[in-house]
Amino acid sequence: MTALSNRALNRALLGRQFLLARTDHTPLEAIGRLVALQAQEPNWPYVGLWSRIHGFTHSQLTTLLQDRKVVRSGLLRSTQHLAAADDFRRLRPLLQPVLDRTARSAYFARNSAGLDTASLVATGLELLAGAMTPRKELARRLAERHPGRDGRILAGEVELRAPLVHSPATGTWGSWGTRSAVSVTPAETWLGRPMAPVTAKDLIRRYLAAFGPAGTMDVQAWSGLTRPGSHR
């Protein structure tokens, strides 16, 4: 067996990431290859795709968001990512333990102490009623149902524990000013299809295709899952 040098490993990673040379793949194909694009800041995915794709334009990604082919939501490491709609349906259930772990942190737990988690999520989904609803409005309604608690934190916990997606406007270029006006809706309603979880093996194969060669610790750091091979 030939040991690969650091340079060879780095070049392999850059090649798989379309960062050695721009590709002729479509934006949707590139997003699928990369599994998900970091989108904590709405502009980042645009820059990431422009760096990788020949002739990429702003409207190509914006149209994918508007056409519901790509969605923005909490995903890897509980942070905001863009993913192809079908990938989100498959990956979000598998990654739900990561988001649940964040929802159990002290920041959320102090505010929801004494509340039944399943009931809180059910109430949040009931208040959303399948519609695209501003976070501020969801927070206000949850605070009315649970006096004395911070509705913003309750809304944040619901968003972590249930597969909600953001309005397309939140994920488009230059939308920093809309962060405080993010709207969310249940993913299954927005996409018109149910969640369809894959196995951890599927996720690991996707990771290696985009980021390999890599080891177990690399997969854990990327996904947020601990012991990814133990998840089904």
Side-chain angles (χ1 to χ4, degrees), residues 24-90:
D24 290 321
H25 285 294
T26 67
L28 187 60
E29 289 169 342
I31 293 170
R33 170 64 174 269
L34 301 171
V35 187
L37 283 173
Q38 171 60 248
Q40 200 72 11
E41 296 292 349
N43 287 5
W44 292 350
Y46 287 85
V47 176
L49 292 175
W50 174 84
S51 301
R52 291 172 165 91
I53 298 173
H54 284 296
F56 173 76
T57 63
H58 167 280
S59 62
Q60 288 176 309
L61 179 53
T62 300
T63 299
L64 289 174
L65 287 161
Q66 293 170 342
D67 291 347
R68 309 187 187 192
K69 293 180 180 179
V70 168
V71 296
R72 182 178 191 251
S73 181
L75 199 60
L76 300 162
R77 304 178 303 282
S78 295
T79 59
Q80 305 304 324
H81 280 74
L82 290 190
D86 283 340
D87 280 342
F88 180 80
R89 292 173 50 239
R90 298 181 182 111

Side-chain angles (χ1 to χ4, degrees), residues 10-28:
N10 288 338
R11 300 290 285 182
L13 171 60
L14 290 173
R16 293 181 181 194
Q17 285 278 307
F18 302 134
L19 290 172
L20 284 180
R22 282 188 167 99
T23 179
D24 290 321
H25 285 294
T26 67
L28 187 60

Side-chain angles (χ1 to χ4, degrees), residues 116-183:
D116 178 73
T117 297
S119 295
L120 173 61
V121 173
T123 298
L125 294 175
E126 173 195 335
L127 293 173
L128 289 171
M132 191 64 78
T133 304
R135 271 180 181 163
K136 287 183 176 180
E137 180 61 16
L138 176 60
R140 184 188 68 78
R141 294 176 184 176
L142 284 169
E144 287 180 349
R145 294 286 187 96
H146 303 287
R149 301 177 191 269
D150 189 325
R152 294 173 303 164
I153 300 177
L154 292 177
E157 182 170 350
V158 171
E159 193 172 336
L160 285 167
R161 293 190 180 277
L164 307 183
V165 297
H166 295 183
S167 65
T170 305
T172 56
W173 178 274
S175 61
W176 284 305
T178 66
R179 270 208 229 164
S180 60
V182 170
S183 294

